[in-house]
Amino acid sequence: MTNLLCIGAGYVGGSTMPVIASHCPEDRFVIVDINEARIAAWQSDQLPIYEPGLEEIVRQTRGKNLFFSTEINRHIAEAEIIFVSVNTPTKTFGQGAGRAADLQYWEKTARQILENSTSSKIVVEKSTLPVRTAEAMERILNSNGNGLHFDVLSNPEFLAEGTAVRDMQNPDRVLIGGRETESGQRAVAKLVELYARWIPRERIITTNLWSSELSKLVANAFLAQRISSINSISALCEKTEADISEVANAIGRDERIGSRFLRASVGFGGSCFRKDILNLVYLCEHYGLPEVARYWEQVVLMNEYQERRFAANMVASMFNTVAGKRIALFGAAFKANTSDTRESPALEVCRALLEEHADIVITDPYAMENASQDLKELAPRVVFESDPYAASENAHAIAILTEWQEYAQLDYERIFHSMAKPAFVFDGRNLLDHRKLYEIGFSVYPIGKPPLTRLVSPGLTPA
Ligand code: UDX
Ligand code: UDX
């Protein structure tokens, strides 16, 4: 039996460890966090995060070989392998503010591990970190005077929210980076053994530490780059009557390009893409590569442009004013099947419309609580309504901001009749049947496709 510990019971720790525990029944897993309420939630029937399939796995393993606790120090002492998945947000102060990763929680955790260790351990970076962070961690950990040895490994998480459990059960690859020393390689082998219980060996990649750390940032940068690329072309489609779905399909059929991650949208969100790219940009600058930094920064700038463009298009299409108009935002989560609203484009669109003095109603099946926290400062000006039919009543427009499948199934005939006229739909996810909506009577504005409207406005071609 091996004692494994995970520090940080957030999305990363909370969705990976239960899956690992379920595949390693003879090992003992503890997940700790400084946040007592979060740990209490993990111990209850109401888990703190929503992930399809997670509840069942937690129920199967909790109390058997998976435990949640706030007693960090005690569990550090007992653990042989410690995963660290505390948050590494973008720095808001000092050098690198707005771009570099804030490593204070990471460093604090490293020191806490050191203070509470009485035996040598393997420490695994699960959080996304700048390249060469492991070096600093090794220095701190191995600065002890009592002969303990710490091997630091990098094992970045590639799971996507909403499919975290599935991704973890059946990953494209697992990446483990370690030192090329004998003890480093022993530590790598130990972690490989753990994953090999359910993942075919050929999908477990081992590299040096720095390649592993960098690969995580680069994977996210490449994924986000594809979205910014297709979104940039969506703007051109709207000017030329080309259709972004047709273009994406046509280019995606080239196997060299591939068809995935080519859905034009109101923008990408989530806790990782923006943060990791800005981190990459900062690293490039730090290493004296300003051209490389500017290249990647453009991915983020294009995303901001797309969010702004979407909101501006709404205002322009609604006769250049939304002041006092009720607008229903369908979706607050940064994508479907998650309650997470971090960096959600829906919030940006909401803020932009509020600046134009619109009356905003937000509906979302799982993310309303998070959204109301995020928009706290704007509280009286935003209404939350769980029923999309009630949200759209008397609204001038609906904006689809999250691709929840249930929004495609609504009775839009009924919605149309309850709305102010002319009734607008702005589909920021190209989720709905646009032709059908147009036939019902809506003016429909998709992303990267000609609008379908009977209203003649300058620059727009009526259908
Ligand atoms: C986050 C980032 O999103 C991800 O990119 C990074 O790789 C790891 O951190 P996530 O699990 O989504 O991943 O973060 P979050 O949900 O904020 O969870 C972090 C947890 O760590 C929180 O529950 C927090 O209370 C806990 N924490 C933080 C500690 O237990 N100790 C600390 O010192 C700091
Ligand atoms: C991402 C990475 O996919 C994952 O590997 C990494 O570990 C963490 O970051 P996640 O943020 O959970 O995962 O979501 P993802 O599915 O990648 O979507 C990110 C954003 O891009 C969402 O807002 C999504 O709506 C948007 N998106 C995605 C598009 O706009 N178009 C697409 O074609 C795909």
Side-chain angles (χ1 to χ4, degrees):
M1 188 194 82
T2 306
N3 276 318
L4 297 101
L5 175 68
C6 175
I7 305 181
Y11 276 87
V12 172
S15 50
T16 54
M17 289 302 136
V19 177
I20 304 182
S22 74
H23 287 284
C24 305
E26 63 282 12
D27 296 326
R28 187 168 178 273
F29 294 78
V30 181
I31 309 182
V32 292
D33 201 292
I34 44 172
N35 183 333
E36 285 179 19
R38 205 162 223 191
I39 289 298
W42 280 112
Q43 288 165 329
S44 76
D45 289 336
Q46 197 73 45
L47 302 187
I49 61 170
Y50 170 70
E51 267 303 328
L54 184 61
E55 220 177 276
E56 205 185 318
I57 291 184
V58 170
R59 226 179 294 124
Q60 281 164 11
T61 47
R62 198 172 49 192
K64 294 199 181 85
N65 69 329
L66 175 68
F67 305 88
F68 294 91
S69 168
T70 50
E71 289 180 73
I72 304 179
N73 296 346
R74 175 161 80 81
H75 291 292
I76 287 175
E78 290 170 2
E80 292 155 66
I81 302 182
I82 302 181
F83 292 90
V84 184
S85 64
V86 301
N87 40 341
T88 48
T90 304
K91 244 182 127 178
T92 53
F93 55 89
Q95 253 184 42
R99 287 172 305 163
D102 184 347
L103 296 176
Q104 59 172 315
Y105 306 119
W106 234 100
E107 178 165 342
K108 210 183 79 212
T109 303
R111 291 184 191 281
Q112 199 171 6
I113 293 174
L114 181 59
E115 277 160 24
N116 292 285
S117 290
T118 47
S119 57
S120 297
K121 298 180 195 306
I122 299 175
V123 176
V124 187
E125 298 178 343
K126 250 223 164 310
S127 309
T128 306
L129 295 159
V131 195
R132 301 202 77 86
T133 303
E135 194 174 24
M137 292 310 136
E138 279 174 344
R139 280 215 205 112
I140 294 174
L141 289 169
N142 289 318
S143 67
N144 66 84
N146 40 16
L148 301 182
H149 178 74
F150 293 88
D151 284 298
V152 178
L153 301 180
S154 157
N155 171 219
E157 201 37 76
F158 295 107
L159 55 81
E161 284 177 30
T163 53
V165 172
R166 207 175 67 204
D167 294 346
M168 205 44 206
Q169 300 279 25
N170 188 22
D172 287 349
R173 78 323 203 167
V174 168
L175 179 58
I176 301 171
R179 283 283 193 188
E180 277 134 342
T181 58
E182 204 184 301
S183 131
Q185 287 305 301
R186 252 200 322 273
V188 168
K190 189 138 195 189
L191 201 53
V192 169
E193 283 312 314
L194 188 77
Y195 283 109
R197 309 250 180 108
W198 79 100
I199 296 163
R201 293 262 174 170
E202 62 275 13
R203 286 202 223 154
I204 305 176
I205 306 172
T206 56
T207 65
N208 78 29
L209 260 176
W210 326 124
S211 306
S212 174
E213 287 181 335
L214 184 58
S215 297
K216 168 68 197 197
L217 295 181
V218 174
N220 276 344
F222 268 60
L223 289 169
Q225 182 194 38
R226 278 174 76 89
I227 304 170
S228 277
S229 296
I230 202 75
N231 281 346
S232 74
I233 301 302
S234 76
L236 187 57
C237 284
E238 286 166 33
K239 298 284 184 204
T240 57
E241 291 187 24
D243 180 321
I244 196 66
S245 303
E246 293 177 351
V247 174
N249 180 43
I251 65 165
R253 294 281 277 274
D254 184 328
E255 277 183 18
R256 292 170 302 176
I257 295 174
S259 60
R260 295 175 66 188
F261 256 71
L262 285 180
R263 276 179 288 115
S265 67
V266 55
F268 61 72
S271 69
C272 290
F273 282 179
R274 181 185 168 85
K275 171 172 77 75
D276 291 354
I277 295 172
L278 292 176
N279 196 336
L280 185 65
V281 168
Y282 183 72
L283 276 169
C284 295
E285 280 170 357
H286 173 81
Y287 287 109
L289 304 168
E291 288 80 2
V292 185
R294 295 290 78 75
Y295 178 76
W296 287 107
E297 188 177 32
Q298 199 56 36
V299 173
V300 169
L301 297 180
M302 182 52 62
N303 196 53
E304 290 173 356
Y305 166 74
Q306 185 77 347
E307 291 170 345
R308 270 200 318 275
R309 196 172 77 77
F310 183 84
N313 186 32
M314 287 181 73
V315 177
S317 308
M318 296 171 75
F319 319 110
N320 289 311
T321 176
V322 291
K325 290 181 183 167
R326 181 175 163 101
I327 296 180
L329 305 185
F330 279 23
F334 79 96
K335 66 176 192 181
N337 298 319
T338 176
S339 57
D340 195 344
T341 53
R342 288 179 288 181
E343 304 290 344
S344 175
L347 303 180
E348 288 313 307
V349 170
C350 176
R351 291 194 179 100
L353 293 172
L354 284 173
E355 269 173 35
E356 295 291 334
H357 293 191
D359 294 336
I360 300 293
V361 191
I362 298 183
T363 184
D364 190 289
Y366 286 97
M368 299 243 279
E369 207 176 302
N370 282 333
S372 68
Q373 278 297 319
D374 299 329
L375 297 168
K376 233 183 5 250
E377 78 281 6
L378 303 161
R381 300 172 59 204
V382 182
V383 175
F384 291 91
E385 171 55 67
S386 57
D387 175 14
Y389 291 105
S392 32
E393 227 167 275
N394 296 321
H396 287 251
I398 295 171
I400 308 286
L401 300 176
T402 310
E403 68 281 23
W404 290 106
Q405 275 311 313
E406 51 224 83
Y407 295 152
Q409 260 88 61
L410 296 174
D411 177 353
Y412 282 94
E413 192 95 48
R414 172 179 162 196
I415 289 178
F416 179 76
H417 289 297
S418 76
M419 286 175 67
K421 306 293 174 324
F424 292 84
V425 170
F426 297 90
D427 189 351
R429 299 286 182 171
N430 287 343
L431 175 75
L432 306 182
D433 181 339
H434 300 143
R435 176 58 52 182
K436 197 164 147 201
L437 292 178
Y438 172 71
E439 278 158 14
I440 291 172
F442 283 102
S443 286
V444 189
Y445 293 80
I447 293 271
K449 297 169 190 264
L452 296 170
T453 173
R454 293 170 185 84
L455 307 166
V456 184
S457 46
L460 296 173
T461 321

